[in-house]
Each structure stands twice: as structure tokens, then as C-alpha cells.
Amino acid sequence: MAQLLIGRVSPATSIQDAGRPGFQRFGLAPSGALDIVSLAVANAVAGRHPSAAAIEVGPLLTQIHVIDGSVGIAVCGASRPLRIGGRPFAPGQLEIARAGDAIDLGPAVGGVFSYVAVSGGVVGRPVLGSMSVHARAGLGSPFSRPLTSGDILECGARLSERRVSLIDAPARTPGSIRVVLGPQDDYFASETLDVFFRSTWRISPVSDRMGYRLIGPQLRHRKSANFISDGTVNGSIQVPGNGQPLVLQPERGTTGGYPKLGVIITADQGRFAQIPLGGGVEFEAIGVREAQDLAISQAEMIESFRSRLRLIRDSSQGFTLDNIADAAVNAIDFDQAIV
Amino acid sequence: MIEQPLPRILPCGDSAVSVEFGECISEQISDHVLALDRVFGDRHHPAIQELVPTYRALCIHYDPRGLRFDEVVALVHQELRALNLKNRRPTGRVWRVPVCYGGDHGIDLGMLAERAGTEPDEIVTIHSAATYRVYMIGFSAGFTYLGGLDTRLACPRRAEPRIYTPAGSVTIGGEQTALQALAGPTGWHLIGKTPVAPFRLDREPMLLFEPGDNIRFFSIGEKDLLDMEKASAAGEFVAELVV
């Protein structure tokens, strides 16, 4: 076993996996990582299942101390300075951290959330099939709340001696966030929808894992404000009475009493969640069929990560060209998460 | 055969649809939502991940790798054609739920009484006289939305929600009344507290009240509230199933 001690920690840092779908009819939103692609990259490099639990780290300075044992870690997500024991390291590749090392994640300079995956996994007991923290419902493991200074995480001791990285790591192209209109786009005049799609919105500081608020022009409803609650999905763009949209996130209310003009497509939800507070965002509408093609491509890409790993050439370990020739490793030590 | 005009089937992004039977609160609309919820639930289609019945629509969450949008629409139409409402009546269960009204547990009871031009005791009598239908569990875990509130008790939601209200709060918002399972913010008015936990992770069943159930409230005192809260924490329902 190994132990990690949380030192200084960004608010909004918590254990997240891919969430616990299946309970929204109980009023329990699935929670889960805000950026499932970055989670999957970190997990693949750490030798874990793409949906396995990792540490979702917020944008502020965070320090994790290895106080016992050694761990293999991989970090993916926001752009930020990374160090182990004072030595810089790159995201998207497996690194070893030993007892006495501090793992430093500096303040994010691009993006918001980083995923720290541990080779041996974080020890915990899944709640309704998932370790993801849902703060308001008080669910999650090993803590049912975001991490705070002084928390200790037990980790599996399994440690691959082979350091790997991802071939052709996915890069996100900046651009509009794509939206499928509905289910209540008819609650808005077409001029109002034009305003939504032509404006540059800013992410409000009052944004969190329940929803990201957008600051921009006031959007008015066409129909009466007496909207009877219906179901919500991740990425729903709700427009409450104050005319400022709220984009629902994984710890959202499962039903909502405000009209939703559209839903961010699955393939863009991670990219949207990585827009910093105060950051600008624009939206464009696409059809549901195209959105589904993109969702399927993303799912297939995530599945492919485990077969796109390669050994990192490390001169201190004396790799030769021969070794590198068979360095495309398939499914190394690939196991399920500890969950 | 469904006796209503056909519902609208609306995409909610690329991985869900809303099958919308109407735009208002009505028992008939709710019956249709719950009937469709049951038939899809019975089907166990591998690509359908969640069914969320609400007041007036069924939200169907699915995996686009297993079902494309057009296929989901076709599936819904198929199930609607086969729907036989007579076989799909709501549960018909009736629960008796204890509530400690007023005082510290119902800080808005006085305000509601003044609004209605009557005494707090009368508000309690009116509230506990009705049989309410459970329309929806939503917003947060176990939050139970009820219809059938006497219009004398209706009161628009607060402009400024309260940041913290306790678990077990019995509330009024607009024309609805609700049981709030978890502590949290609300813009609804607090009239009492119930020791019943609509949602408990470590209890079978986890969720006590289901859409289509009926609830009647009865008034209890502070001491009974404390005793029943202990029992509830130990896993007892504390609510009584009458039918």
C-alpha cells in the first residue's frame, strides 16, 4: 500500500470517476468527472480503466505528499506547472513518486481541472457503484466530500516499472461549443436564440459542479414563466427568470423548473467544463445526428487509449533501438479499477 | 391505445429524449408518463440507461452507440401504440406521514396563516386533510413533489431562497407541497418537519415514495418527532402504508 497526504489543495478537488448513472429517478444526479476525456487519458497512462476513480484537482495550487510507499501517477487536463520532488514533469506520461516526494500542481494557466490517476488506484468503497463525490447528497469514497488539507488517501501498491505515455494524445481545438437545440427552444423567440448564438458569454465566478453560470445579454422567455419542472441532462442550458443561462453539470438538480434552450453535445462537455472563470465562450447549434456521430467518435477514442500507449525512451534505463521497436504496448497490466 | 393527443418527442442533446405529454400538472398526464415509464422499465433495452418520470414528461437517457435518435423515436412510438392504460394504473399505495407542524420546524406557518386570513392551526388542519399524489422525485435525492394542495395554502416561492433548510422539511412552493429529503437551499416555505426519510442509502428500499403513490399527513408533537427521528435513523420507515 501507499499513502498520499493532501497538503494545500484547490477548492473543488474531489475523487471522481465516470459517475453513478441510473439513479436520476431517485433525484440523484450521476456526478462524475467534468472532463471524461482527460480522466480517460490519465487513467490509460496509469494503466487503469478509462472510467476509474482519480483525483479531480481544481485550478489552484495543490500539493500532494507521498508519505508511504511509492506510486505511479499520470496527470492530464489543465495546463499547469507540474513537479515531483521539485523536478518538473510532463502531463500524459507515467511518473514515479516516492515516499518523501511532494507532487505539486501549480496554478492552472489554461483549463481548470486536472486528473491525477494513480497506478494502484485509490482505495475506497463504491457507493451505488461509484466513488464519485456528490457533495450535497453526501456520497463518495473514500470521502463523501471534496478533499481538504490533511486528508490521507490509501492507494494500491501496484507499480508498473514501465513508464509510458500516450501516442497522439488528443488535443482540443478551440472554437464554439456545439449545442443541440431543445427541448424548450420554442420557449424563446428566434431573435432571442440569435442573441444567444451570436454573443460571447463569460463564465461567472459563481460556477461549480452543479452548474456554470453564464454572464451576458438578458434572454427573455416568449411563453409564460409558469414552467412545470421536467428532467435535466448534463450540459442542459437553462434560462431562469434573471435571463442569464445556467449550464447544468454533473451534480445538477435532476429536474428543473426553467426552460432549456439547448444541450451542449457530449463531445464538447469536457472542453466546456475546462473554460476558466471569466473565460469567454461562444456557442453554435448543430443537429442531433451529427452530435451523436461526435459522441460515438469520442467514446471510440476513449476506448482506443489503452492500445495507444508507448514506452518512454529513458536513456538512464539503457533502451536500445531494438527495444523501442516493440515499444508499442498493448493493454499493459490493464486491470479494472479497485472499485 | 392512448387517449391523449400523441406526445412530443424532443431531443435533450445527443443522449436523451423527453417524451412530453403536456405542459401542465394533471393526474391524467401523470398517468400517461408513469405508464410509459413502466413499459420501458419492463423492456430493459440494453442501450437505455435511465428513465426519469416527471410531472408531464418521461426523460429517456440512452447510449447513442446502441440507439440513434431516430431509433429511439421509433421505439417510443411503438411502445405508445402498445400502451394499455388500464393495465398501467399507478401504484395506488397510500402512505400516512407524520409531520411536526409550525414552531421552529415550520417558520413560515404564521405568514401563510396571515395570508389566508386565518390561524396557524387552521393551516395545519387544511394541509393534513388532503390526500396528495406523488408526482415526481426530482431536483435532489428523495425530494418528493406532491400535487393536490388546497389553493388557500398556495404561496409563490421566495425571491431569495434560504441557503440552508433542514432534512425532512415539509414545504409549500407555489401550488405544490413537498418533502425535502436532504438539507439544502430552497425558495419554498417551511411549514413543518417530518421524521420520515424519503431517501436512505442504507435502507431497503432506498427510495420510499414513488410517483403515483398517495400521501396523507398527520400532526405530531415535538417529543414524537424526536423519537421517530431516532427510529428513522435506525432504518425504520416511520411512514405507514395504509393501502
Side-chain angles (χ1 to χ4, degrees), chain A residues 43-286:
Chain A
N43 274 330
V45 174
R48 306 202 60 74
H49 189 278
S51 313
I55 311 171
E56 181 180 81
V57 179
L60 303 185
L61 175 67
T62 295
Q63 195 171 63
I64 301 170
H65 301 272
V66 184
I67 57 174
D68 192 33
S70 296
V71 289
I73 63 159
V75 182
C76 184
S79 301
R80 68 204 300 168
L82 299 171
R83 291 180 204 277
I84 290 177
R87 175 185 55 83
F89 70 93
Q93 52 187 54
L94 188 71
E95 299 290 333
I96 313 297
R98 302 192 159 82
D101 283 340
I103 303 164
D104 289 303
L105 288 85
V109 297
V112 187
F113 292 95
S114 298
Y115 294 88
V116 179
V118 182
S119 284
V122 176
V123 175
R125 287 212 331 207
V127 180
L128 299 177
S130 160
M131 285 168 63
S132 287
V133 169
H134 187 308
R136 193 128 76 81
L139 302 184
S141 183
F143 299 97
S144 54
R145 52 161 174 76
L147 294 175
T148 60
S149 225
D151 284 344
I152 291 178
L153 297 174
E154 306 278 344
C155 300
R158 200 187 60 79
L159 188 61
S160 171
E161 286 308 318
R162 290 176 289 182
R163 291 184 56 232
V164 294
S165 70
L166 199 68
I167 299 168
D168 296 327
R172 284 192 165 130
T173 47
S176 303
I177 297 292
R178 292 161 294 189
V179 169
V180 171
L181 284 174
Q184 281 95 34
D185 51 315
D186 59 347
Y187 272 65
F188 304 91
S190 58
E191 296 79 35
T192 309
L193 293 177
D194 277 347
V195 168
F196 176 76
F197 288 109
R198 280 189 282 116
S199 300
T200 300
W201 299 86
R202 307 233 152 255
I203 308 291
S204 159
V206 186
S207 292
D208 58 22
R209 285 180 47 87
M210 281 187 66
Y212 280 26
R213 296 187 181 274
L214 302 178
I215 299 171
Q218 274 230 339
L219 302 178
R220 303 207 180 286
H221 305 128
R222 170 162 67 184
K223 298 191 185 183
S224 105
N226 188 27
F227 178 82
I228 305 300
S229 297
D230 67 349
T232 64
V233 304
N234 203 50
S236 296
I237 304 166
Q238 262 191 352
V239 184
N242 66 5
Q244 299 289 265
L246 174 67
V247 181
L248 299 182
Q249 295 288 36
E251 288 183 44
R252 64 186 175 279
T254 54
T255 60
Y258 301 110
K260 299 169 285 302
L261 67 81
V263 179
I264 296 177
I265 71 171
T266 297
D268 284 354
Q269 286 172 11
R271 183 157 66 92
F272 174 78
Q274 294 282 17
I275 299 172
L277 303 184
V281 56
E282 290 169 2
F283 299 93
E284 75 176 272
I286 68 170

Side-chain angles (χ1 to χ4, degrees), chain A residues 37-52 74 92 94 117 119 164-166 302-309 331-334:
Chain A
V37 176
S38 293
L39 172 71
V41 172
N43 274 330
V45 174
R48 306 202 60 74
H49 189 278
S51 313
L94 188 71
S119 284
V164 294
S165 70
L166 199 68
I302 287 174
E303 287 292 308
S304 79
F305 289 157
R306 67 180 77 188
S307 53
R308 284 161 55 175
L309 299 168
I332 3 158
D333 294 63
F334 222 84

Side-chain angles (χ1 to χ4, degrees), chain A residues 22-27 127 136 139 183 186 223 227-229 231 233 253-255 263 265-266 289 292-293 296, chain B residues 8 10 13-15 23 37 50-51 54-56 61-62 64 68-70 136-142 201 206:
Chain A
F23 300 97
Q24 291 181 77
R25 63 187 294 122
F26 289 13
V127 180
R136 193 128 76 81
L139 302 184
D186 59 347
K223 298 191 185 183
F227 178 82
I228 305 300
S229 297
V233 304
T254 54
T255 60
V263 179
I265 71 171
T266 297
R289 291 162 192 84
Q292 292 195 319
D293 288 340
I296 292 167
Chain B
R8 302 199 298 163
L10 308 167
D14 49 48
S15 305
E23 293 193 342
D37 175 53
E50 301 216 45
L51 299 168
T54 62
Y55 278 104
R56 58 194 189 84
H61 299 247
Y62 63 95
R68 301 302 301 248
F69 175 72
D70 298 320
M136 175 170 90
I137 311 295
F139 185 69
S140 67
L201 206 59
M206 268 194 303

